[in-house]
Amino acid sequence: MLCESVLRLLAGLLIGIWVARFLGPEKFGLFSYVLAFTSIFAGVAKLGLDGIVIKELVAHPDKEQQILGTSFWLKFAGAALVYLILFAVVKATSDDPYTSHLIFITAAGLFFQSFEVIDFFFQSKVQARFVSICKIFQLSISTILKIVLVINKADLFWFIVVTLADSISLAISLLVTYSLKEKKSFYRHFETSMARILLKQSWPVIFAGLVVMIYMRVDQIMIKEILGEREVGIYSAAVRLSEAWYFVPLLIAHSLFPAILNARKVSLELYYSRLQRLFTLMTWLSLSVAILITIFSRSLISVLYGEAFIEASYILNIHVWAGILVALGEASNKWFVAEGHNLLSFWRTFWGMISNIVLNLFLIPSHGAAGAAIATLIAYSIAGLFFDLFSAKTRLLFRMKIASLDPRRLF
């Protein structure tokens, strides 16, 4: 699983930069816009079933086929519904027929998300290595295809086709692996009673997932609508570099939080002492990354993307500072889960999304793509820091995050 994650990171960054250099700001902007637009609907098509299906498989192994079959067809129906909604939504945008065509090709991959239930099956059996092998296979095919397309100077259309091929190849590899291991046809099963049970648990997750995806992708969509495709390309180039290291705070939070939870069994003082150390580590790690990238941003953009993307250095200088809030957010997310404050966590993300949309509306017309970076930085600050001030339950987190800026705490 670690191997697959590292390979995906490297391929996404290195091949992604090569593809961006080849396509240029305008075509890369259109490519990024199509992916961002589709990803919002992809979250809805999942129907929030991912974690719920795994939980049900673990709790009811005797109903394995019914759970897998029902969730498979629910996901397929969700993809079909979302695809129909896309037709109406795309009509409301300023997209030309060519852009709409690219969106519908990419969105066709939503139907193949249904085969993710096989992933959930292997996770419930603690056999996720089989899924990782399938994903490495899919990643290898995708990487080879993109290299061939760049070498042959292919049109943007074919890079969009590769995104659809990614979904198809992963679905096929998952199905083949499952067939070799289980030799059962889960897709022949569907139970209405099981569907009701799954949907009853999943509807809040659907809404939460939609909020998260809008929060993360709305900036690129609004830049396209207000400024155009070239600016999306410039902005996306900066964001890819800015977010390239985000997996690090995620890994740190996953690795260290069990020790912090164990401390809670000893005493609250030790628990919050370790949590404060985690906040301090996250703050100074992300601060170091932000300073380094700010100093070398122009050189990084010039070397990696080329002079055509040089404007992205200014955007990168702004956006990279949002990493501090992201790192602190990853640490506090674990606290919200541990303390059972899931509703507060949702509202934090919700108000971050609202502020991001409103700020983009004002800042993009006046400051261009850099305005979207400013909006992101402010919205992340609202969600990841200042939201904690408005609840007695989270006010301590605000004080701890501010205290983490004290360099003496490093020692």
Side-chain angles (χ1 to χ4, degrees):
M1 289 174 66
L2 178 62
C3 178
E4 185 260 323
S5 297
V6 172
L7 287 174
R8 188 167 297 279
L9 172 70
L10 292 174
L13 189 61
L14 299 178
I15 301 300
I17 288 172
W18 195 24
V19 170
R21 285 181 69 108
F22 166 70
L23 292 175
E26 187 169 346
K27 288 185 178 179
F28 181 62
L30 179 56
F31 182 61
S32 300
Y33 166 76
V34 169
L35 295 183
F37 193 94
T38 310
S39 66
I40 292 176
F41 293 89
V44 179
K46 286 176 176 288
L47 295 180
L49 291 172
D50 297 14
I52 293 167
V53 173
I54 296 172
K55 184 184 73 173
E56 291 294 323
L57 287 170
V58 172
H60 306 286
D62 55 312
K63 297 182 178 180
E64 184 180 282
Q65 295 299 297
Q66 292 88 339
I67 295 170
L68 288 175
T70 303
S71 56
F72 173 83
W73 287 112
L74 283 175
K75 278 178 166 286
F76 193 88
L81 178 62
V82 165
Y83 206 79
L84 290 174
I85 294 172
L86 261 176
F87 277 98
V89 174
V90 169
K91 293 286 185 183
T93 68
S94 61
D95 295 337
D96 56 78
Y98 179 67
T99 302
S100 301
H101 188 52
L102 297 182
I103 289 173
F104 292 131
I105 292 173
T106 306
L110 300 179
F111 291 98
F112 297 93
Q113 279 186 171
S114 307
F115 290 93
E116 286 178 341
V117 298
I118 298 173
D119 182 352
F120 310 151
F121 165 78
F122 282 119
Q123 286 189 51
S124 71
K125 300 293 184 182
V126 199
Q127 296 177 344
R129 64 186 182 277
F130 294 116
V131 178
S132 295
I133 292 170
C134 292
K135 289 182 178 179
I136 290 173
F137 169 75
Q138 173 257 320
L139 180 62
S140 301
I141 291 177
S142 179
T143 301
I144 291 169
L145 287 174
K146 287 174 183 175
I147 291 172
V148 170
L149 291 178
V150 172
I151 291 174
N152 288 280
K153 299 181 179 179
D155 185 69
L156 171 62
F157 171 82
W158 295 107
F159 288 92
I160 293 294
V161 171
V162 168
T163 64
L164 175 58
D166 288 346
S167 301
I168 296 173
S169 61
L170 180 58
I172 291 173
S173 59
L174 285 171
L175 187 58
V176 169
T177 303
Y178 178 82
S179 299
L180 292 174
K181 292 289 294 180
E182 294 297 313
K183 297 181 173 61
K184 297 175 183 176
S185 302
F186 63 84
Y187 48 83
R188 294 179 180 177
H189 298 269
F190 181 86
E191 288 189 0
T192 305
S193 58
M194 180 63 68
R196 282 198 295 267
I197 292 171
L198 292 173
L199 290 175
K200 185 178 180 180
Q201 298 179 69
S202 71
W203 73 263
V205 186
I206 298 173
F207 188 61
L210 177 61
V211 168
V212 170
M213 291 310 300
I214 293 174
Y215 186 25
M216 293 175 63
R217 300 292 177 226
V218 71
D219 46 3
Q220 296 179 44
I221 294 171
M222 294 180 73
I223 291 172
K224 160 66 169 58
E225 290 297 315
I226 297 171
L227 301 176
E229 294 157 2
R230 182 181 180 278
E231 284 70 18
V232 180
I234 297 294
Y235 181 81
S236 298
V239 169
R240 285 202 177 198
L241 281 184
S242 177
E243 296 179 349
W245 76 285
Y246 281 6
F247 74 99
V248 176
L250 181 63
L251 286 177
I252 291 173
H254 277 311
S255 301
L256 298 184
F257 209 76
I260 295 173
L261 283 178
N262 286 331
R264 201 180 196 285
K265 299 174 185 177
V266 179
S267 72
L268 284 176
E269 183 181 356
L270 181 61
Y271 172 61
Y272 281 106
S273 172
R274 288 187 175 179
L275 185 60
Q276 179 67 72
R277 291 181 185 182
L278 178 59
F279 282 142
T280 303
L281 172 63
M282 292 296 204
T283 296
W284 287 93
L285 173 65
S286 53
L287 190 62
S288 302
V289 171
I291 291 171
L292 281 171
I293 291 181
T294 301
I295 293 171
F296 298 106
S297 61
R298 191 174 181 88
S299 299
L300 279 170
I301 294 293
S302 178
V303 171
L304 295 176
Y305 287 99
E307 290 299 315
F309 286 87
I310 201 65
E311 296 168 53
S313 61
Y314 177 56
I315 298 169
L316 180 58
N317 284 340
I318 301 168
H319 196 282
V320 71
W321 292 90
I324 300 172
L325 287 312
V326 171
L328 289 173
E330 287 295 344
S332 56
N333 278 341
K334 298 295 182 183
W335 180 88
F336 276 101
V337 173
E339 299 296 323
H341 297 319
N342 295 324
L343 186 59
L344 275 175
S345 180
F346 165 76
W347 283 115
R348 182 175 68 156
T349 307
F350 177 80
W351 286 113
M353 177 196 73
I354 295 297
S355 59
N356 201 14
I357 293 172
V358 173
L359 288 165
N360 274 313
L361 283 172
F362 285 99
L363 293 175
I364 291 176
S366 59
H367 292 78
I374 298 170
T376 297
L377 182 57
I378 297 173
Y380 281 19
S381 299
I382 291 170
L385 181 62
F386 295 109
F387 177 85
D388 297 337
L389 269 174
F390 297 97
S391 171
K393 295 176 181 177
T394 57
R395 212 159 285 143
L396 176 61
L397 285 185
F398 176 80
R399 292 196 294 268
M400 292 173 73
K401 290 173 183 178
I402 295 298
S404 69
L405 291 166
D406 185 350
R408 293 173 298 180
R409 291 187 178 273
L410 285 169
F411 307 99

